[in-house]
Amino acid sequence: MKFRVIAPDGEARAGVIETGRGLIHTPQFIPVGTVGTVKALSPAELREMGAEIILCNTYHLYLRPGEEVIRRLGGVQRFMGWPGPVLTDSGGFQVYSLSRLRRITSDGVEFRSHIDGSLHFVGPERAMKIQQALGADIIMAFDECTPYPATYEYALNSLRLTTEWARRCRAVHREGQALFGIFQGGTYRDLRLRSLEEIVGIGFDGYAAGGLSVGEPKGLMHEMIHFTGPLMPADRPRYLMGIGDLLDVLEAVEAGYDIFDCVMPTRNARNGTLFTSEGRISIKRTEFKEDPSPLDPECGCYTCRSFSRAYLRHLYLSGEILSMRLNTIHNLTFYMRFFRLMREAVLKGEFRGFKERWKKVLERNFNRESS
Ligand SMILES: [Zn+2]
């Protein structure tokens, strides 16, 4: 994997990550394909809307169908029919958030599967082995995601564990996959700095901020984003994990972060919350019952080219599968376009204006009934 920054604009930057399976233009949004599929979409549709990389969850693929099945079938990209690069997370976050956690020791985490209650143990070496079998282009070190709130002492111990595990991941890392390190530190500036220094000291192909957007107030999250971004190595991709609220993304790109992933556009689509160039829409509202206009006149996606708000509302209220498909096509197209426009703004040195303009749009909820 190679990375180069093309244009800095203040702390913001536009760059390119080169992988064996294609280029990733940054800033870039990574659609989340939890169990090996971006819910409701085909890989061809993802390509068409400009997606360059997909994230898959190690925890889910390890439990089902199992990493060895995927390895024997040629790796995760071939398994899911996606020709581009894939990033797998380490599984750490899901172990804490989804499974029934049993025990954390210095060697790893014992947990019960959320599917069948079976007992599992995953530590740094195991997490790396699973990710090697899955065969993603970018893999993540196994970390402990510090929760919020966490006492200083807890965050410090958690940080030590994350550093120790990062070292062990690095030791068993094999060529052929880029390995990113994750730093923690909770919401304590000195611990964030210390964690980042320790992880950078070990040396990785890219660096990721973990443990943000875990329940802390927005102001505190933005403070951490602006504090950490400029401190991260400038010649490596900077990844802000699990954050995709576009207002947060604007802060993070301003702070120099490059890549993002989040279930927000896809999950919101399935819940009928749609992003448009005029603000957010809840498609189920009565005001759209006979609205013949497209969801977003400025969007060129299949959904907006072909259907009215009235029809989308009807599909949603009827619980039709097509509702999830059309809404997801629109929301992800909106996201990919937003990131493309943001990148162009950075390349032109106009990011500040872009941020101010879009902040106003994103803060607006244009359902008339609610205003
Ligand atoms: Zn659209």
Side-chain angles (χ1 to χ4, degrees):
M1 190 202 79
K2 282 187 210 147
F3 174 69
R4 62 179 196 278
V5 174
I6 297 169
D9 177 8
E11 291 292 342
R13 58 217 213 134
V16 181
I17 302 171
E18 276 181 50
T19 76
R21 281 191 182 79
L23 302 180
I24 303 159
H25 298 85
T26 64
Q28 183 71 218
F29 182 72
I30 312 177
V32 177
T34 309
V35 303
T37 164
V38 176
K39 290 189 196 309
L41 296 186
S42 71
E45 287 165 331
L46 288 163
R47 264 296 191 226
E48 195 190 320
M49 60 184 64
E52 294 182 332
I53 174 170
I54 305 292
L55 178 145
C56 291
N57 288 124
T58 295
Y59 168 83
H60 288 282
L61 295 176
Y62 156 74
L63 289 179
R64 188 170 57 194
E67 74 278 12
E68 282 304 316
V69 172
I70 292 177
R71 186 183 60 76
R72 287 194 292 272
L73 290 169
V76 66
Q77 303 87 349
R78 182 176 292 181
F79 183 59
M80 63 190 281
W82 166 254
V86 165
L87 180 151
T88 47
D89 64 5
S90 66
F93 184 75
Q94 280 74 26
V95 163
Y96 296 106
S97 61
L98 278 183
S99 72
R100 279 178 288 146
L101 191 62
R102 298 292 91 177
R103 204 159 50 92
I104 304 177
T105 70
S106 59
D107 278 332
V109 182
E110 191 179 62
F111 61 95
R112 286 195 183 278
S113 156
H114 75 290
I115 301 171
D116 60 9
S118 54
L119 198 61
H120 299 263
F121 187 87
V122 172
E125 290 81 9
R126 187 82 183 91
M128 290 295 288
K129 252 203 139 103
I130 297 169
Q131 291 189 88
Q132 278 159 9
L134 293 174
D137 304 271
I138 301 174
I139 64 176
M140 304 299 298
F142 191 69
D143 63 327
E144 201 217 352
C145 184
T146 312
Y148 181 86
T151 63
Y152 188 86
E153 223 179 331
Y154 184 99
L156 177 60
N157 284 329
S158 168
L159 174 167
R160 288 188 179 125
L161 199 56
T162 288
T163 299
E164 164 67 14
W165 288 352
R167 211 169 272 131
R168 286 165 58 174
C169 285
R170 194 79 189 80
V172 296
H173 175 235
R174 294 196 205 137
E175 289 298 304
Q177 291 177 300
L179 174 62
F180 282 25
I182 304 173
F183 69 100
Q184 294 283 344
T187 49
Y188 303 99
R189 277 179 178 242
D190 60 324
L191 296 187
R192 277 280 163 193
L193 179 59
R194 177 169 160 184
S195 184
L196 177 60
E197 282 176 351
E198 290 182 3
I199 298 299
V200 171
I202 297 167
F204 290 93
D205 300 307
Y207 295 95
L212 288 172
S213 195
V214 291
E216 75 280 15
K218 284 266 182 190
L220 198 50
M221 184 211 297
H222 292 172
E223 186 194 322
M224 287 299 130
I225 286 170
H226 282 284
F227 175 64
T228 54
L231 297 174
M232 296 168 76
D235 60 348
R236 293 280 189 276
R238 299 165 173 167
Y239 174 19
L240 187 54
M241 299 183 78
I243 289 185
D245 180 322
L246 295 177
L247 285 165
D248 302 335
V249 166
L250 285 171
E251 299 298 328
V253 167
E254 186 173 48
Y257 278 92
D258 305 304
I259 52 178
F260 305 85
D261 79 276
C262 192
V263 294
M264 185 175 266
T266 42
R267 181 175 290 167
N268 276 356
R270 298 196 301 280
N271 295 332
T273 299
L274 305 173
F275 300 94
T276 81
S277 48
E278 293 167 35
R280 238 172 319 150
I281 281 189
S282 175
I283 198 63
K284 60 190 156 210
R285 300 183 77 93
T286 318
E287 68 196 282
F288 303 125
K289 188 174 181 182
E290 296 188 38
D291 190 337
S293 51
L295 180 54
D296 183 353
E298 286 185 29
C299 176
C301 84
Y302 173 66
T303 304
C304 292
R305 286 198 317 267
S306 317
F307 306 100
S308 63
R309 291 175 184 168
Y311 183 61
L312 294 175
R313 174 177 183 271
H314 164 69
L315 289 180
Y316 180 81
L317 293 179
S318 307
E320 282 296 321
I321 294 171
L322 187 58
S323 167
M324 295 192 184
R325 297 222 343 99
L326 295 180
N327 290 353
T328 307
I329 286 172
H330 169 75
N331 266 6
L332 256 190
T333 303
F334 181 87
Y335 258 62
M336 300 321 294
R337 176 166 161 264
F338 177 89
F339 272 79
R340 215 158 39 236
L341 294 173
M342 182 160 62
R343 187 168 194 275
E344 282 164 20
V346 173
L347 287 170
K348 285 187 221 148
E350 294 170 359
F351 175 74
R352 190 162 286 276
F354 178 92
K355 184 189 172 201
E356 289 319 309
R357 216 165 42 249
W358 274 97
K359 257 183 96 161
K360 289 197 189 93
V361 172
L362 295 166
E363 279 163 356
R364 200 186 309 145
N365 191 335
F366 95 87
N367 294 306
R368 284 175 289 266
E369 286 170 12
S370 62
S371 58

